[in-house]
Amino acid sequence: MPFTIIALQYLVPLLYLATSWRYGREFFNNDTRSGTLKTLYLGVTLLLHCIFFILRTAELQHIPVTSSLELLGVLGFTLAGAYIFTEIISGVKNTGFFVLIISSVLVSTSSIFAPNHYGMNDILQSELLAFHIVSALLGYSAFALSAIYGLLYVMLYKKIRTRTFDNIYRNLPNLESLETLTLKAIIVGFVALSLVIGIGFVWLPQAFPEICYSDAKVLGTFFIWLLYAVGLAAKKFVGFQGRRIAILSMIGFLVTFLSMALSNVISGFHKFY
């Protein structure tokens, strides 16, 4: 493995941690220097992580989706990317620490433990697979982001109820903003997961002739989609809102995480090595 790739493999997690530290310093200690530098840190981190993915893919001749550990790194990257996109379009810049510390854990775990398999599996050359994976990662990153905003909503709600006016109360966006961010992230995740299922119906029978629609991963994906569909329908037709949306986002992501972790172990296909 070339030295540049190895150096980036260990430098990138350190940059995620440094970026999280900057966001945390600004949030908890009102450090103005960190407030000025935090977005720059995140931009540089994402840029170098993207370069790492390109160099590693060229060296190993496959995109980093061949194992759950590789996917953790990509998920950490997309979660941080989704956050900076949200920060730019919403103007809400005070929630980054709670997102980026999770990205740091995911990326660090992947960098340390992900195996370096050489060679291209024929399945990995499919363009539909690329859309399938991009949609899945976007969806799961959006669900993770919604759960984080949901958790922040519940934290702020309790502080208001108990009249605890500390730094968290002062620095978080108001409840209405957090609910809006939570709901938008759920909608993005739901649309992306719908694309995953649609592409899967087209691509999976081509890539896996032995596909079984009662496979754990297929059933788990349908169950997650149905859970969020019911929640969004309840929001639309029976006024499901506020703290209930926040709790839905947290329960939904917990179910998503457990379902994906379990189905990756017992699924009969979706294995590239």
Side-chain angles (χ1 to χ4, degrees):
M1 182 73 73
F3 173 77
T4 305
I5 299 176
I6 294 175
L8 285 173
Q9 181 174 345
Y10 294 102
L11 174 62
V12 166
L14 294 176
L15 288 173
Y16 273 92
L17 290 170
T19 304
S20 301
W21 179 73
R22 281 296 184 192
Y23 273 86
R25 285 274 300 169
E26 198 260 346
F27 185 88
F28 293 105
N29 301 103
N30 297 318
D31 182 54
T32 54
R33 179 172 173 76
S34 292
T36 303
L37 294 174
K38 62 182 184 180
T39 305
L40 176 62
Y41 270 53
L42 180 53
V44 171
T45 299
L46 289 173
L47 176 62
L48 289 179
H49 201 173
C50 187
I51 292 172
F52 168 70
F53 279 139
I54 293 171
L55 294 178
R56 187 177 186 275
T57 297
E59 172 67 18
L60 299 182
Q61 292 295 296
H62 66 75
I63 53 179
V65 298
T66 59
S67 70
S68 298
L69 287 169
E70 283 187 337
L71 282 171
L72 286 183
V74 182
L75 185 60
F77 173 78
T78 55
L79 180 60
Y83 168 74
I84 196 171
F85 177 74
T86 304
E87 179 180 300
I88 291 170
I89 64 171
S90 69
V92 177
K93 301 182 177 182
N94 295 340
T95 58
F97 171 77
F98 302 96
V99 178
L100 297 174
I101 195 66
I102 296 175
S103 285
S104 300
V105 173
L106 295 175
V107 172
S108 298
T109 303
S110 178
S111 292
I112 294 171
F113 297 109
N116 292 321
H117 292 298
Y118 278 86
M120 172 75 85
N121 186 315
D122 290 341
I123 293 174
L124 300 179
Q125 300 182 45
S126 169
E127 294 178 353
L128 283 176
L129 172 65
F131 286 115
H132 185 67
I133 291 173
V134 168
S135 299
L137 292 173
L138 175 62
Y140 294 138
S141 297
F143 288 148
L145 201 55
S146 74
I148 293 169
Y149 286 133
L151 176 62
L152 294 177
Y153 182 101
V154 172
M155 288 171 56
L156 185 58
Y157 181 83
K158 288 186 176 179
K159 289 187 178 298
I160 293 173
R161 289 284 301 271
T162 57
R163 298 181 178 276
T164 306
F165 303 125
D166 55 10
N167 267 359
I168 292 178
Y169 168 81
R170 285 190 289 272
N171 291 329
L172 281 178
N174 59 40
L175 289 177
E176 289 75 14
S177 296
L178 287 172
E179 181 183 353
T180 300
L181 290 169
T182 303
L183 184 60
K184 286 183 177 178
I186 289 176
I187 293 172
V188 170
F190 181 75
V191 172
L193 192 58
S194 300
L195 285 174
V196 170
I197 293 172
I199 296 170
F201 266 115
V202 176
W203 173 70
L204 285 175
Q206 301 173 17
F208 302 97
E210 73 281 10
I211 182 176
C212 174
Y213 288 101
S214 61
D215 182 89
K217 182 166 285 186
V218 176
L219 292 178
T221 303
F222 274 119
F223 180 74
I224 294 165
W225 184 89
L226 185 62
L227 177 66
Y228 282 104
V230 170
L232 289 173
K235 163 69 177 171
K236 176 72 174 178
F237 298 110
V238 297
F240 202 70
Q241 60 184 356
R243 197 159 66 101
R244 292 176 177 176
I245 290 290
I247 293 173
L248 166 68
S249 69
M250 290 187 286
I251 293 176
F253 181 68
L254 180 61
V255 171
T256 300
F257 180 80
L258 292 177
S259 174
M260 289 296 99
L262 183 62
S263 63
N264 272 330
V265 174
I266 62 177
S267 175
F269 65 104
H270 267 87
K271 298 180 186 300
F272 303 122
Y273 281 91

